[in-house]
């Protein structure tokens, strides 16, 4: 997860969108779809952090840094060498 400005910026970068409002609209649409999908299949709220083993706020991290955190977690849990 990340703060809204980070999510909008990453949407712009990933999708090549220059207009901030367009990126925000796309982000809101995708978030609504994800919430609905998650609720339908789990009966739980998508944004409830109690549903996750390792929530990571990526607002101040790069994707590579977040990936390293996940790898370290998996190593600590014994899933990776």
């Amino acid at each position: 997860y990340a703060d809204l400005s980070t999510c909008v910026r990453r949407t712009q970068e990933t999708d090549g969108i220059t207009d901030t409002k367009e990126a925000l609209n796309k982000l809101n649409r995708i978030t609504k779809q994800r919430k609905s999908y998650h609720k339908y299949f789990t009966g739980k709220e998508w944004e409830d952090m109690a549903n996750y083993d390792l929530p990571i706020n990526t607002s101040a991290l790069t994707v590579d840094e977040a990936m390293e955190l996940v790898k370290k977690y998996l190593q600590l849990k014994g899933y990776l060498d």
Side-chain angles (χ1 to χ4, degrees), residues 68-81:
E68 288 301 318
L69 279 174
V70 172
K71 284 172 53 179
K72 184 64 175 173
Y73 175 78
L74 292 173
Q75 288 171 340
L76 289 169
K77 289 298 194 177
Y79 297 114
L80 295 178
D81 293 329

Side-chain angles (χ1 to χ4, degrees), residues 15-36:
D15 297 339
I17 300 171
T18 56
D19 182 59
T20 302
K21 186 174 181 181
E22 181 183 346
L24 179 60
N25 287 339
K26 181 172 186 170
L27 178 63
N28 287 336
R29 186 176 63 253
I30 291 169
T31 300
K32 183 177 178 181
Q33 291 169 345
R34 287 177 179 167
K35 283 180 180 182
S36 176

Side-chain angles (χ1 to χ4, degrees), residues 44-73:
K44 298 179 179 181
E45 296 300 322
W46 183 56
E47 294 174 324
D48 182 356
M49 290 297 145
N51 296 324
Y52 299 94
D53 291 332
L54 183 67
I56 300 172
N57 183 342
T58 59
S59 297
L61 298 174
T62 66
V63 173
D64 288 338
E65 290 168 335
M67 181 180 64
E68 288 301 318
L69 279 174
V70 172
K71 284 172 53 179
K72 184 64 175 173
Y73 175 78

